[in-house]
Coordinates of all heavy atoms in Angstrom, one line a residue:
M144 N 100.3 123.0 106.3 CA 100.4 124.0 105.4 C 99.0 123.9 104.5 O 98.5 122.9 104.2 CB 101.6 123.9 104.3 CG 101.5 125.0 103.3 SD 103.0 124.8 102.2 CE 102.1 124.6 100.6
D145 N 98.3 125.1 104.4 CA 97.1 125.1 103.7 C 97.4 124.9 102.2 O 98.4 125.3 101.7 CB 96.4 126.5 103.8 CG 95.9 126.7 105.2 OD1 95.5 125.7 105.9 OD2 95.8 127.8 105.7
E146 N 96.4 124.3 101.5 CA 96.5 124.1 100.1 C 96.3 125.4 99.4 O 95.6 126.2 99.8 CB 95.5 123.0 99.5 CG 95.9 121.6 99.9 CD 97.1 121.2 99.1 OE1 97.3 121.6 98.0 OE2 97.8 120.3 99.6
P147 N 97.0 125.7 98.2 CA 96.8 126.9 97.5 C 95.3 126.9 97.0 O 94.6 125.9 96.8 CB 97.7 126.7 96.3 CG 98.8 125.8 96.8 CD 98.1 124.9 97.7
L148 N 94.8 128.1 96.7 CA 93.4 128.3 96.4 C 93.0 127.5 95.3 O 91.9 126.9 95.3 CB 93.3 129.8 96.0 CG 91.8 130.2 95.5 CD1 90.8 130.0 96.7 CD2 91.8 131.6 95.0
N149 N 93.7 127.3 94.3 CA 93.3 126.6 93.0 C 93.8 125.1 93.0 O 93.9 124.5 91.9 CB 93.6 127.3 91.7 CG 92.8 128.6 91.7 OD1 91.6 128.7 92.0 ND2 93.5 129.7 91.3
A150 N 94.1 124.6 94.1 CA 94.6 123.2 94.1 C 93.5 122.2 93.9 O 92.4 122.4 94.2 CB 95.3 122.9 95.6
I151 N 93.9 121.1 93.3 CA 92.9 120.1 93.0 C 92.5 119.4 94.4 O 93.4 119.2 95.2 CB 93.5 118.9 92.2 CG1 93.8 119.5 90.8 CG2 92.6 117.7 92.0 CD1 94.6 118.5 89.8
K152 N 91.2 119.4 94.6 CA 90.7 118.8 95.9 C 90.8 117.2 95.7 O 90.3 116.7 94.8 CB 89.3 119.2 96.1 CG 89.0 120.7 96.0 CD 89.8 121.5 97.0 CE 89.5 122.9 97.0 NZ 90.4 123.8 96.3
L153 N 91.5 116.6 96.6 CA 91.7 115.2 96.5 C 90.8 114.4 97.4 O 90.6 114.8 98.6 CB 93.2 114.9 96.9 CG 94.3 115.5 96.0 CD1 95.6 115.1 96.6 CD2 94.2 115.1 94.6
N154 N 90.3 113.3 96.9 CA 89.5 112.4 97.7 C 90.2 111.0 97.4 O 89.9 110.4 96.5 CB 88.1 112.3 97.3 CG 87.3 111.3 98.1 OD1 87.7 110.7 99.0 ND2 86.1 111.1 97.6
H155 N 91.1 110.7 98.3 CA 91.9 109.5 98.1 C 91.8 108.5 99.2 O 92.7 107.7 99.4 CB 93.4 109.9 97.9 CG 94.0 110.8 99.0 ND1 94.2 110.4 100.2 CD2 94.2 112.1 98.8 CE1 94.6 111.5 100.9 NE2 94.6 112.5 100.1
E156 N 90.7 108.5 99.8 CA 90.4 107.5 101.0 C 90.7 106.1 100.5 O 90.1 105.7 99.5 CB 89.1 107.7 101.5 CG 88.8 109.0 102.3 CD 87.4 109.0 102.8 OE1 86.8 108.0 103.0 OE2 86.9 110.1 103.2
G157 N 91.5 105.3 101.1 CA 91.8 104.0 100.8 C 92.7 103.7 99.6 O 93.0 102.6 99.3
Q158 N 93.1 104.8 98.9 CA 94.0 104.6 97.7 C 95.4 104.9 98.1 O 96.3 104.3 97.5 CB 93.5 105.6 96.6 CG 92.1 105.2 96.2 CD 91.6 106.3 95.2 OE1 92.2 107.3 95.0 NE2 90.5 106.0 94.6
L159 N 95.7 105.8 99.0 CA 97.0 106.1 99.4 C 97.4 105.5 100.7 O 96.6 105.5 101.6 CB 97.2 107.7 99.4 CG 97.0 108.4 98.1 CD1 97.1 109.9 98.3 CD2 97.8 107.9 96.9
T160 N 98.6 105.0 100.8 CA 99.1 104.3 102.0 C 100.4 105.0 102.5 O 100.9 106.0 101.8 CB 99.3 102.8 101.8 OG1 100.5 102.8 100.9 CG2 98.2 102.1 101.2
D161 N 101.0 104.5 103.5 CA 102.3 105.0 104.0 C 103.4 104.7 102.9 O 104.5 105.3 103.0 CB 102.7 104.5 105.2 CG 101.9 104.9 106.4 OD1 101.2 105.9 106.3 OD2 101.9 104.3 107.5
D162 N 103.2 103.8 102.0 CA 104.1 103.5 100.9 C 103.9 104.5 99.6 O 104.5 104.2 98.6 CB 104.0 102.1 100.5 CG 104.5 101.2 101.6 OD1 105.4 101.6 102.4 OD2 104.0 100.1 101.8
S163 N 102.9 105.3 99.7 CA 102.5 106.2 98.5 C 103.4 107.4 98.6 O 103.7 108.0 99.6 CB 101.1 106.6 98.5 OG 100.3 105.5 98.5
W164 N 103.8 107.8 97.4 CA 104.7 109.1 97.2 C 104.2 110.0 96.1 O 103.8 109.5 95.0 CB 106.1 108.7 96.9 CG 106.8 107.9 97.9 CD1 106.9 106.6 98.1 CD2 107.6 108.5 99.0 NE1 107.6 106.3 99.2 CE2 108.1 107.4 99.8 CE3 107.9 109.8 99.4 CZ2 108.8 107.6 100.9 CZ3 108.7 109.9 100.5 CH2 109.0 108.8 101.3
E165 N 104.1 111.3 96.4 CA 103.8 112.3 95.4 C 105.0 112.4 94.5 O 106.1 112.6 95.1 CB 103.4 113.5 95.9 CG 103.0 114.6 94.9 CD 102.6 115.9 95.5 OE1 103.2 116.4 96.5 OE2 101.6 116.4 95.1
I166 N 104.9 112.2 93.2 CA 106.1 112.2 92.3 C 106.2 113.6 91.6 O 107.3 114.0 91.3 CB 105.9 111.1 91.2 CG1 105.9 109.7 91.9 CG2 107.1 111.2 90.2 CD1 107.1 109.5 92.8
A167 N 105.0 114.2 91.2 CA 105.1 115.4 90.5 C 103.9 116.3 90.9 O 102.9 115.9 91.4 CB 105.0 115.2 89.0
R168 N 104.2 117.7 90.8 CA 103.2 118.7 91.0 C 103.4 119.7 89.9 O 104.5 120.1 89.7 CB 103.4 119.3 92.4 CG 102.3 120.3 92.7 CD 102.4 120.7 94.2 NE 102.0 119.6 95.0 CZ 101.6 119.8 96.2 NH1 101.4 120.9 96.7 NH2 101.2 118.7 97.0
V169 N 102.2 119.9 89.2 CA 102.4 120.8 88.0 C 101.4 121.9 88.1 O 100.2 121.7 88.4 CB 102.0 120.0 86.8 CG1 102.2 120.9 85.5 CG2 103.0 118.8 86.6
W170 N 101.8 123.1 87.9 CA 100.9 124.3 88.0 C 101.1 125.1 86.8 O 102.2 125.2 86.2 CB 101.3 125.2 89.2 CG 100.8 124.6 90.5 CD1 101.4 123.7 91.3 CD2 99.6 124.9 91.2 NE1 100.7 123.4 92.4 CE2 99.6 124.2 92.4 CE3 98.6 125.8 91.0 CZ2 98.6 124.2 93.3 CZ3 97.6 125.9 91.9 CH2 97.6 125.1 93.1
I171 N 100.1 125.7 86.3 CA 100.2 126.7 85.2 C 99.7 128.1 85.7 O 98.8 128.2 86.6 CB 99.3 126.3 84.0 CG1 97.8 126.3 84.3 CG2 99.8 125.0 83.4 CD1 96.9 126.1 83.0
N172 N 100.3 129.1 85.1 CA 99.9 130.5 85.3 C 99.3 130.9 84.0 O 99.7 130.7 82.9 CB 101.0 131.4 85.6 CG 101.6 131.1 87.0 OD1 100.8 130.6 87.9 ND2 102.8 131.5 87.3
N173 N 98.2 131.7 84.1 CA 97.5 132.2 82.9 C 98.4 133.0 82.1 O 98.8 134.1 82.4 CB 96.4 133.0 83.3 CG 95.4 133.2 82.1 OD1 95.5 132.7 81.0 ND2 94.3 134.0 82.4
G174 N 99.0 132.4 81.0 CA 99.8 133.1 80.0 C 101.3 133.3 80.5 O 102.1 133.8 79.7
A175 N 101.6 132.7 81.6 CA 103.0 132.8 82.1 C 103.8 131.5 82.2 O 104.8 131.4 82.9 CB 103.0 133.5 83.5
G176 N 103.2 130.4 81.6 CA 104.0 129.2 81.6 C 103.6 128.3 82.8 O 102.6 128.5 83.5
S177 N 104.5 127.3 83.0 CA 104.2 126.2 83.9 C 105.3 126.2 85.0 O 106.4 126.7 84.8 CB 104.1 124.8 83.3 OG 105.3 124.6 82.7
H178 N 104.9 125.7 86.1 CA 105.8 125.4 87.2 C 105.7 123.9 87.6 O 104.6 123.4 87.8 CB 105.5 126.3 88.4 CG 105.4 127.7 88.1 ND1 106.6 128.4 88.1 CD2 104.5 128.5 87.8 CE1 106.3 129.7 87.8 NE2 105.0 129.8 87.6
V179 N 106.8 123.2 87.6 CA 106.8 121.8 87.8 C 107.8 121.4 88.8 O 109.0 121.8 88.7 CB 107.1 121.1 86.3 CG1 107.2 119.5 86.5 CG2 106.2 121.5 85.3
W180 N 107.4 120.5 89.7 CA 108.2 119.9 90.7 C 108.3 118.5 90.6 O 107.2 117.8 90.5 CB 107.9 120.4 92.0 CG 108.0 121.8 92.5 CD1 109.0 122.5 93.0 CD2 107.0 122.8 92.1 NE1 108.8 123.8 93.1 CE2 107.5 124.1 92.5 CE3 105.7 122.8 91.5 CZ2 106.8 125.3 92.4 CZ3 105.1 124.0 91.3 CH2 105.6 125.2 91.8
I181 N 109.4 117.8 90.5 CA 109.6 116.4 90.3 C 110.4 115.8 91.5 O 111.5 116.3 91.9 CB 110.3 116.1 89.0 CG1 109.6 116.8 87.8 CG2 110.4 114.5 88.8 CD1 108.3 116.3 87.5
A182 N 109.9 114.8 92.2 CA 110.6 114.0 93.2 C 111.3 112.9 92.5 O 110.9 111.7 92.7 CB 109.7 113.7 94.3
A183 N 112.3 113.2 91.8 CA 113.0 112.1 91.0 C 113.6 111.0 91.9 O 113.7 109.9 91.5 CB 114.1 112.7 90.1
W184 N 114.0 111.4 93.1 CA 114.6 110.4 94.0 C 113.6 109.3 94.4 O 114.0 108.2 94.8 CB 115.1 111.2 95.3 CG 113.9 111.9 95.9 CD1 113.7 113.3 95.7 CD2 112.9 111.4 96.8 NE1 112.5 113.6 96.5 CE2 112.1 112.5 97.2 CE3 112.7 110.2 97.5 CZ2 111.0 112.4 98.1 CZ3 111.6 110.1 98.3 CH2 110.8 111.2 98.6
A185 N 112.3 109.5 94.2 CA 111.3 108.5 94.6 C 111.1 107.4 93.6 O 110.4 106.5 93.8 CB 109.9 109.3 94.9
L186 N 111.7 107.6 92.4 CA 111.5 106.6 91.3 C 112.9 105.9 91.1 O 113.9 106.6 91.3 CB 111.1 107.2 90.1 CG 109.5 107.7 90.0 CD1 109.3 108.5 88.8 CD2 108.6 106.6 90.2
E187 N 112.9 104.7 90.6 CA 114.2 104.0 90.3 C 115.0 104.6 89.2 O 116.2 104.3 89.1 CB 113.9 102.4 90.1 CG 113.5 101.8 91.3 CD 113.2 100.3 91.2 OE1 113.9 99.8 90.2 OE2 112.5 99.7 91.9
G188 N 114.4 105.3 88.3 CA 115.1 105.8 87.2 C 114.2 106.6 86.2 O 112.9 106.5 86.3
P189 N 114.8 107.3 85.2 CA 114.1 108.1 84.3 C 113.0 107.3 83.5 O 111.9 107.8 83.1 CB 115.1 108.7 83.4 CG 116.3 108.7 84.2 CD 116.3 107.5 85.1
E190 N 113.3 106.1 83.2 CA 112.4 105.1 82.4 C 111.1 105.0 83.2 O 110.0 105.1 82.5 CB 113.0 103.9 82.1 CG 112.2 103.0 81.2 CD 112.8 101.7 80.8 OE1 112.7 100.7 81.6 OE2 113.6 101.7 79.8
N191 N 111.2 104.8 84.5 CA 110.0 104.7 85.3 C 109.2 105.9 85.2 O 107.9 105.9 85.4 CB 110.4 104.3 86.7 CG 110.9 102.8 86.8 OD1 110.4 102.0 86.1 ND2 111.9 102.6 87.6
F192 N 109.8 107.0 85.2 CA 109.1 108.3 85.1 C 108.3 108.4 83.8 O 107.1 108.8 83.7 CB 110.1 109.6 85.2 CG 109.3 110.8 85.3 CD1 108.7 111.2 86.5 CD2 109.2 111.7 84.3 CE1 108.0 112.4 86.5 CE2 108.5 112.8 84.3 CZ 107.9 113.3 85.4
G193 N 109.0 107.9 82.7 CA 108.3 107.8 81.4 C 107.0 107.0 81.5 O 106.0 107.3 81.0
H194 N 107.1 105.8 82.2 CA 105.9 104.9 82.3 C 104.8 105.7 83.1 O 103.6 105.6 82.8 CB 106.3 103.6 83.1 CG 107.2 102.8 82.3 ND1 107.0 102.3 81.0 CD2 108.5 102.2 82.7 CE1 108.0 101.5 80.7 NE2 108.8 101.4 81.7
L195 N 105.2 106.4 84.1 CA 104.3 107.1 84.9 C 103.6 108.2 84.1 O 102.3 108.5 84.1 CB 105.0 107.8 86.1 CG 104.1 108.6 87.0 CD1 102.9 107.8 87.6 CD2 104.9 109.3 88.1
M196 N 104.4 108.9 83.1 CA 103.8 109.9 82.3 C 102.8 109.4 81.3 O 101.8 110.0 81.0 CB 104.9 110.7 81.5 CG 105.8 111.6 82.5 SD 104.8 112.9 83.3 CE 104.3 112.2 84.8
V197 N 103.1 108.2 80.8 CA 102.1 107.5 79.9 C 100.8 107.2 80.6 O 99.7 107.5 80.1 CB 102.7 106.2 79.3 CG1 101.6 105.4 78.6 CG2 103.9 106.6 78.4
D198 N 100.9 106.7 81.8 CA 99.7 106.5 82.7 C 99.0 107.7 82.9 O 97.8 107.8 82.8 CB 100.1 105.7 84.0 CG 99.0 105.2 84.8 OD1 98.0 104.6 84.2 OD2 99.0 105.3 86.0
T199 N 99.8 108.7 83.2 CA 99.1 110.1 83.4 C 98.4 110.6 82.2 O 97.3 111.1 82.3 CB 100.2 111.1 83.9 OG1 100.8 110.6 85.1 CG2 99.5 112.5 84.2
M200 N 99.0 110.4 81.0 CA 98.3 110.9 79.8 C 97.0 110.1 79.5 O 96.0 110.7 79.1 CB 99.3 110.7 78.6 CG 100.4 111.8 78.7 SD 101.4 111.8 77.2 CE 102.3 110.3 77.3
R201 N 97.0 108.8 79.8 CA 95.8 108.0 79.7 C 94.8 108.4 80.6 O 93.5 108.5 80.3 CB 96.2 106.5 79.8 CG 97.0 105.9 78.7 CD 97.3 104.5 78.9 NE 98.0 103.9 77.8 CZ 98.9 103.0 77.8 NH1 99.4 102.6 79.0 NH2 99.6 102.7 76.7
H202 N 95.1 108.8 81.8 CA 94.1 109.3 82.8 C 93.6 110.6 82.3 O 92.4 110.8 82.5 CB 94.7 109.4 84.2 CG 94.8 108.1 84.9 ND1 93.8 107.6 85.6 CD2 95.9 107.2 85.1 CE1 94.1 106.4 86.2 NE2 95.4 106.2 85.9
A203 N 94.5 111.5 81.8 CA 94.1 112.8 81.3 C 93.0 112.6 80.2 O 92.1 113.4 80.1 CB 95.3 113.6 80.9
A204 N 93.3 111.7 79.2 CA 92.4 111.5 78.2 C 91.1 111.0 78.6 O 90.0 111.6 78.1 CB 93.0 110.4 77.2
Q205 N 91.0 110.2 79.6 CA 89.7 109.8 80.2 C 89.0 111.0 80.9 O 87.8 111.1 80.8 CB 89.9 108.6 81.1 CG 88.6 108.0 81.7 CD 87.7 107.6 80.5 OE1 88.2 106.7 79.6 NE2 86.5 108.0 80.4
A206 N 89.8 111.8 81.7 CA 89.3 113.0 82.3 C 88.6 113.9 81.3 O 87.5 114.5 81.5 CB 90.4 113.7 83.1
Y207 N 89.3 114.2 80.1 CA 88.7 115.0 79.2 C 87.4 114.4 78.6 O 86.5 115.1 78.3 CB 89.7 115.2 77.9 CG 90.6 116.4 78.3 CD1 92.0 116.1 78.6 CD2 90.2 117.7 78.3 CE1 92.8 117.1 78.9 CE2 91.1 118.7 78.6 CZ 92.4 118.5 78.9 OH 93.3 119.4 79.1
A208 N 87.4 113.0 78.4 CA 86.3 112.4 77.9 C 85.1 112.6 78.9 O 84.0 112.8 78.5 CB 86.6 110.9 77.7
D209 N 85.4 112.4 80.2 CA 84.4 112.5 81.2 C 83.8 113.9 81.3 O 82.7 114.1 81.6 CB 84.9 112.0 82.6 CG 85.2 110.6 82.6 OD1 84.8 109.8 81.7 OD2 85.9 110.2 83.6
N210 N 84.6 114.9 81.1 CA 84.3 116.3 81.3 C 83.8 116.9 80.0 O 83.1 118.0 80.1 CB 85.4 117.1 81.9 CG 85.6 116.8 83.4 OD1 84.9 117.4 84.2 ND2 86.5 115.8 83.6
T211 N 84.1 116.5 78.9 CA 83.7 117.1 77.6 C 82.8 116.3 76.6 O 82.3 116.8 75.7 CB 85.0 117.6 76.8 OG1 85.6 116.4 76.3 CG2 85.8 118.5 77.7
G212 N 82.8 115.0 76.9 CA 82.1 114.1 75.9 C 83.0 113.7 74.8 O 82.6 112.9 73.8
M213 N 84.3 114.3 74.7 CA 85.2 113.9 73.7 C 85.6 112.4 73.8 O 85.8 112.0 74.9 CB 86.5 114.8 73.8 CG 87.5 114.4 72.8 SD 89.0 115.4 73.2 CE 88.4 117.0 72.9
P214 N 85.7 111.6 72.7 CA 86.1 110.2 72.9 C 87.5 110.2 73.5 O 88.4 111.0 73.1 CB 86.1 109.7 71.5 CG 85.2 110.6 70.8 CD 85.3 111.9 71.4
P215 N 87.8 109.3 74.5 CA 89.1 109.2 75.1 C 90.2 109.1 74.1 O 91.3 109.5 74.2 CB 89.0 108.2 76.1 CG 87.8 107.4 75.8 CD 86.9 108.3 75.0
E216 N 89.9 108.3 73.1 CA 91.0 108.0 72.0 C 91.4 109.3 71.3 O 92.6 109.6 71.0 CB 90.5 107.0 71.0 CG 90.3 105.6 71.5 CD 88.9 105.5 72.3 OE1 88.0 106.4 72.2 OE2 88.6 104.5 72.9
A217 N 90.4 110.2 71.0 CA 90.7 111.4 70.3 C 91.5 112.4 71.3 O 92.4 113.1 70.9 CB 89.4 112.1 69.9
A218 N 91.0 112.3 72.6 CA 91.7 113.2 73.6 C 93.2 112.8 73.7 O 94.1 113.6 73.8 CB 91.0 113.1 74.9
L219 N 93.4 111.4 73.7 CA 94.8 110.9 73.9 C 95.6 111.4 72.6 O 96.8 111.7 72.8 CB 94.8 109.4 74.0 CG 96.2 108.7 74.2 CD1 96.9 109.4 75.5 CD2 96.0 107.2 74.4
Q220 N 95.1 111.2 71.5 CA 95.8 111.7 70.3 C 96.2 113.2 70.3 O 97.2 113.6 69.9 CB 95.0 111.4 69.0 CG 94.9 110.0 68.6 CD 96.3 109.2 68.5 OE1 97.2 109.7 67.9 NE2 96.4 108.1 69.2
M221 N 95.2 114.0 70.9 CA 95.5 115.5 70.9 C 96.7 115.7 72.0 O 97.5 116.5 71.9 CB 94.3 116.2 71.3 CG 93.3 116.2 70.1 SD 91.7 117.0 70.5 CE 92.2 118.7 70.5
I222 N 96.6 114.9 73.1 CA 97.6 115.0 74.2 C 99.0 114.6 73.5 O 99.9 115.3 73.8 CB 97.3 114.2 75.4 CG1 96.1 114.7 76.1 CG2 98.5 113.9 76.3 CD1 95.4 113.8 77.1
L223 N 99.0 113.5 72.8 CA 100.3 113.1 72.2 C 100.7 114.1 71.1 O 101.9 114.4 71.1 CB 100.0 111.8 71.5 CG 99.9 110.6 72.4 CD1 99.5 109.3 71.6 CD2 101.1 110.3 73.2
A224 N 99.9 114.8 70.4 CA 100.3 115.8 69.5 C 100.9 117.0 70.2 O 101.9 117.6 69.8 CB 99.1 116.3 68.7
G225 N 100.4 117.3 71.4 CA 101.0 118.4 72.2 C 102.3 118.1 72.8 O 103.2 118.8 72.8
V226 N 102.4 116.8 73.2 CA 103.7 116.3 73.7 C 104.8 116.3 72.6 O 105.9 116.9 72.8 CB 103.6 114.9 74.2 CG1 104.9 114.2 74.5 CG2 102.8 114.9 75.6
M227 N 104.5 115.8 71.4 CA 105.4 115.8 70.3 C 105.9 117.1 69.9 O 106.9 117.5 69.6 CB 104.9 115.0 69.2 CG 104.7 113.5 69.5 SD 106.1 112.7 70.3 CE 107.3 112.8 69.0
G228 N 104.9 118.1 69.9 CA 105.1 119.4 69.5 C 106.1 120.1 70.4 O 107.1 120.8 70.0
D229 N 105.9 119.9 71.7 CA 106.7 120.6 72.7 C 108.1 119.9 72.8 O 109.1 120.5 73.1 CB 106.1 120.5 74.1 CG 105.2 121.7 74.4 OD1 104.9 122.4 73.4 OD2 104.7 121.9 75.4
L230 N 108.2 118.6 72.5 CA 109.6 117.9 72.5 C 110.4 118.4 71.4 O 111.6 118.4 71.5 CB 109.3 116.4 72.4 CG 108.9 115.6 73.6 CD1 108.7 114.2 73.3 CD2 110.0 115.8 74.7
R231 N 109.8 119.0 70.4 CA 110.6 119.6 69.3 C 111.2 121.0 69.6 O 112.0 121.5 69.0 CB 109.8 119.7 68.0 CG 109.4 118.4 67.4 CD 108.6 118.5 66.1 NE 108.0 117.3 65.7 CZ 106.6 117.0 65.9 NH1 105.8 117.9 66.4 NH2 106.2 115.8 65.6
D232 N 110.6 121.5 70.7 CA 111.1 122.9 71.1 C 112.5 122.8 71.7 O 112.9 121.8 72.1 CB 110.1 123.5 72.1 CG 108.8 124.1 71.5 OD1 108.8 124.2 70.2 OD2 107.9 124.5 72.2
D233 N 113.1 123.9 71.8 CA 114.4 124.1 72.4 C 114.4 123.7 73.9 O 113.8 124.4 74.7 CB 114.9 125.5 72.2 CG 116.3 125.7 72.6 OD1 117.0 124.7 73.0 OD2 116.8 126.8 72.6
F234 N 115.1 122.7 74.2 CA 115.2 122.2 75.6 C 115.9 123.3 76.5 O 115.6 123.3 77.7 CB 116.0 120.9 75.7 CG 116.0 120.2 77.1 CD1 114.8 119.5 77.4 CD2 117.0 120.3 77.9 CE1 114.8 118.8 78.6 CE2 117.0 119.7 79.1 CZ 115.8 118.9 79.5
A235 N 116.7 124.1 76.0 CA 117.4 125.2 76.7 C 116.5 126.1 77.4 O 116.8 126.9 78.3 CB 118.4 125.8 75.8
K236 N 115.2 126.2 77.0 CA 114.2 127.1 77.6 C 113.8 126.6 79.0 O 113.1 127.4 79.7 CB 113.0 127.3 76.7 CG 113.3 128.0 75.4 CD 112.1 128.4 74.6 CE 111.4 127.1 74.1 NZ 110.3 127.4 73.2
L237 N 114.1 125.4 79.3 CA 113.7 124.9 80.6 C 114.3 125.5 81.8 O 115.6 125.7 81.8 CB 114.0 123.4 80.6 CG 113.7 122.6 81.9 CD1 112.2 122.4 82.0 CD2 114.3 121.2 81.9
E238 N 113.5 125.9 82.8 CA 114.0 126.5 84.0 C 114.0 125.3 85.1 O 113.0 124.7 85.4 CB 113.2 127.6 84.5 CG 113.3 128.8 83.6 CD 112.5 130.0 84.1 OE1 112.3 130.1 85.3 OE2 112.1 130.8 83.3
Q239 N 115.2 125.0 85.6 CA 115.3 123.9 86.4 C 115.0 124.2 87.9 O 115.3 125.2 88.4 CB 116.8 123.3 86.5 CG 117.0 122.2 87.3 CD 116.4 120.9 86.7 OE1 116.2 120.8 85.5 NE2 116.0 119.9 87.5
V240 N 114.1 123.4 88.5 CA 113.7 123.4 89.9 C 114.1 122.0 90.4 O 113.3 121.1 90.1 CB 112.3 123.8 90.2 CG1 111.9 123.8 91.7 CG2 112.0 125.2 89.6
A241 N 115.0 121.9 91.3 CA 115.4 120.6 91.9 C 114.5 120.3 93.1 O 114.3 121.1 93.9 CB 116.8 120.6 92.2
V242 N 114.1 119.1 93.2 CA 113.4 118.6 94.4 C 114.3 117.5 95.0 O 114.5 116.5 94.3 CB 112.0 118.1 94.1 CG1 111.3 117.6 95.4 CG2 111.1 119.2 93.6
R243 N 114.7 117.8 96.2 CA 115.7 116.7 96.8 C 114.9 115.8 97.8 O 113.9 116.2 98.3 CB 116.8 117.5 97.6 CG 117.4 118.5 96.7 CD 118.9 118.2 96.6 NE 119.6 119.3 95.9 CZ 119.9 119.2 94.7 NH1 119.5 118.3 94.0 NH2 120.6 120.2 94.1
E244 N 115.5 114.7 98.0 CA 114.9 113.8 98.9 C 114.8 114.4 100.3 O 115.6 115.1 100.8 CB 115.9 112.5 99.1 CG 115.2 111.4 99.9 CD 116.1 110.1 99.8 OE1 117.0 110.1 99.1 OE2 115.6 109.2 100.6
P245 N 113.6 114.1 101.0 CA 113.4 114.8 102.3 C 114.4 114.2 103.3 O 114.8 113.1 103.2 CB 112.0 114.4 102.6 CG 111.6 113.3 101.7 CD 112.5 113.3 100.5
G246 N 114.7 115.0 104.3 CA 115.5 114.5 105.4 C 116.9 114.9 105.4 O 117.7 115.7 105.2

């Protein structure tokens, strides 16, 4: 399958192996919200997903620092503010998309 037009171009030579699994895929539409797919079956439990999200936020903070010159600590604080703000929103607005184990 061809990658969608605006997919992130990956250069993962030597980093991914047969034991590597894609856990999440996140897309946004301009003004129309997000689309999120989670392979929950690939992790031992929700707590492990939380650890992965923290690692992802740290990587995102560094990416903002690399691309904007913003200090990574400031970027991380802004990311955390966004997370906390959204966690206060009504959970019922979530549209569920299940991703089942392959096979």
